[in-house]
Amino acid sequence: MGLRNLRALKDLLFEQKVEYDFEFHPLPFNTDAPVVVLSEGNSLLCKDRRVGEIYRLELKVSSLPRMPDVPAAKLRTWRAYLAMAVELDKDFGIAQEGGSTRKDLTEDVVKAATDGFAEARQSSPKTTDEWWLHRRMVLARIIARTYLQRQVNIDHFTQVMKMEDQRESAFKPPAEAEPAKAS
């Protein structure tokens, strides 16, 4: 089993193919998965690139920040908050019985997500895929949980859309200068 896994990783690295083993016949699937192999020693997968030595810093206890003194009442409040958040998380994103809709998304959030995804696909189809939507929905659920709410409302989703727009614009390459017009 170990050698088959190693061979599958090499196929992914060098041929960008993943083989799915159906019961009677294996079938290769083409992929487009960028892969970086990091290893402390010699890698079994590839040796075509080497990064210089990794410098290790010694971690001294005295270099760590000291934990602030927190009153017992505040600790109890934080523990209660965490316990409530864990309780909310037990049914995180489970579909309602007999239906395919999620009970943690309101109708206006579903509509806003659908419309936002469609707009994004129209404006930049190469960079907008199912993960674009998935990431935003997961973040909206996390935001709702931080407010100890079971349902994602439109405010949570709007907040996530703004945060993601800011994050994406921070990583966009600067626009190329427009060519001068001939006079």
Side-chain angles (χ1 to χ4, degrees), residues 94-113:
I94 298 173
Q96 288 180 345
E97 189 173 321
S100 61
T101 58
R102 300 179 78 105
K103 64 182 174 181
D104 63 345
L105 301 176
T106 59
E107 289 297 319
D108 54 346
V109 170
V110 172
K111 182 171 179 7

Side-chain angles (χ1 to χ4, degrees), residues 38-43 50:
L38 301 174
S39 175
E40 287 187 2
N42 288 331
S43 173
R50 286 194 69 116

Side-chain angles (χ1 to χ4, degrees), residues 122-134:
Q122 284 179 346
S123 64
S124 56
K126 289 184 179 179
T127 59
T128 307
D129 56 6
E130 66 274 6
W131 292 107
W132 182 94
L133 180 61
H134 177 74

Side-chain angles (χ1 to χ4, degrees), residues 10 13-14 35-38 42-51:
K10 282 189 175 188
L13 277 168
F14 298 113
V35 180
V36 175
V37 177
L38 301 174
N42 288 331
S43 173
L44 294 173
L45 296 172
C46 61
K47 295 180 174 112
D48 54 359
R49 303 277 191 277
R50 286 194 69 116
V51 178

Side-chain angles (χ1 to χ4, degrees), residues 29-137:
F29 290 92
N30 292 329
T31 64
D32 184 15
V35 180
V36 175
V37 177
L38 301 174
S39 175
E40 287 187 2
N42 288 331
S43 173
L44 294 173
L45 296 172
C46 61
K47 295 180 174 112
D48 54 359
R49 303 277 191 277
R50 286 194 69 116
V51 178
E53 284 192 33
I54 298 173
Y55 296 98
R56 292 194 171 94
L57 299 174
E58 287 187 30
L59 183 64
K60 297 178 182 173
V61 176
S62 61
S63 68
L64 296 175
R66 188 168 140 59
M67 182 70 177
D69 292 327
V70 180
K74 189 171 263 192
L75 283 175
R76 280 193 300 276
T77 303
W78 290 349
R79 288 180 183 125
Y81 171 83
L82 292 173
M84 290 172 75
V86 167
E87 188 63 32
L88 280 175
D89 203 42
K90 284 185 180 175
D91 61 349
F92 186 68
I94 298 173
Q96 288 180 345
E97 189 173 321
S100 61
T101 58
R102 300 179 78 105
K103 64 182 174 181
D104 63 345
L105 301 176
T106 59
E107 289 297 319
D108 54 346
V109 170
V110 172
K111 182 171 179 7
T114 305
D115 294 346
F117 182 66
E119 281 180 31
R121 288 285 290 177
Q122 284 179 346
S123 64
S124 56
K126 289 184 179 179
T127 59
T128 307
D129 56 6
E130 66 274 6
W131 292 107
W132 182 94
L133 180 61
H134 177 74
R135 182 174 45 254
R136 282 161 176 74
M137 298 310 294

